[in-house]
Amino acid sequence: MRKALIAGLAALVVAAVVVGLSQTETTTEAPVSAALSTEQIAERLRGAPAPLAAVHAQANDLLGGERTAVRERLEALKGHPVVVNKWASWCGPCRAEFPHFQSLSVELGKEVAFLGLNSGDNRGDAMEFLEEFPVSFPSFTDPNEKVALDLGASAAYPVTIFYDASGEKTHVKQGQYATEAALRADIERYARGRGA
């Protein structure tokens, strides 16, 4: 009986691993921002419209202010599409997708605003994470997930919220972006309103 139970559990673990691996897309492309220095990133983003330049001026910062600060920033960004990524330093899928945000925030940063929402985390761990994965945009701290709930993000990690240029929330994506191409497609569709 015990051998059958152990064999059954082993089969379940193998099946779970196989299913997980089959659902995971991998990419070998290096993110643009990982290959660029801070100065090169700043140079690529030079000339961005004032609201987006204000975002870039706070690159890699952890900002407080809770709901009010986030709502004020979203209001200030009206006229530009916005992508908000909810992440935490302890979240494996967040780590896996963060290079996509690094790269696309530099590539699209003169037209699309990117913001982070560091939820359910502590400041020290979040700062270490941002040292490992520097980005061209700030993140708002949200230790109790009040801002995330206010924005309509679930308790899952990661979550990405899209706003069109008029400031309307157009889509909430639960879970990780396995590829940069998938994130780019959703930015085009939900933030920029291009394509089906």
Side-chain angles (χ1 to χ4, degrees), residues 25 27 29-33 97 99-104 107 177-187:
E25 298 176 48
T27 179
E29 62 188 85
V32 171
S33 62
E97 76 172 4
H100 309 322
F101 286 92
Q102 287 178 299
S103 179
L104 290 176
E107 182 182 329
Y177 279 101
T179 66
E180 184 176 306
L183 174 58
R184 180 191 306 275
D186 277 0
I187 291 169

Side-chain angles (χ1 to χ4, degrees), residues 61-126:
D61 285 352
L62 275 178
L63 308 174
E66 298 189 1
R67 295 177 196 169
T68 303
V70 173
R71 288 289 178 190
E72 286 174 356
R73 178 54 66 91
L74 289 172
E75 185 66 29
L77 288 168
K78 278 189 179 174
H80 303 280
V82 180
V83 179
V84 179
N85 179 244
K86 176 186 165 189
W87 62 274
S89 63
W90 47 261
C91 165
C94 300
R95 288 180 172 274
E97 76 172 4
F98 222 69
H100 309 322
F101 286 92
Q102 287 178 299
S103 179
L104 290 176
S105 68
V106 173
E107 182 182 329
L108 304 175
K110 288 185 178 182
E111 299 173 15
V112 178
F114 289 78
L115 298 172
L117 186 61
N118 176 241
S119 296
D121 210 346
N122 71 66
R123 188 172 187 84
D125 289 343

Side-chain angles (χ1 to χ4, degrees), residues 31-71:
V32 171
S33 62
L36 299 175
S37 69
T38 307
E39 294 78 21
Q40 289 170 318
I41 291 171
E43 180 60 34
R44 285 196 178 195
L45 294 171
R46 184 163 303 160
L52 300 181
V55 168
H56 305 315
Q58 294 176 314
N60 236 37
D61 285 352
L62 275 178
L63 308 174
E66 298 189 1
R67 295 177 196 169
T68 303
V70 173
R71 288 289 178 190

Side-chain angles (χ1 to χ4, degrees), residues 150-184:
D150 186 55
L151 296 179
S154 72
Y157 286 85
V159 175
T160 305
I161 307 164
F162 298 88
Y163 295 86
D164 64 17
S166 70
E168 292 297 314
K169 181 169 51 177
T170 58
H171 184 65
V172 177
K173 160 82 161 91
Q174 308 285 335
Q176 170 190 347
Y177 279 101
T179 66
E180 184 176 306
L183 174 58
R184 180 191 306 275

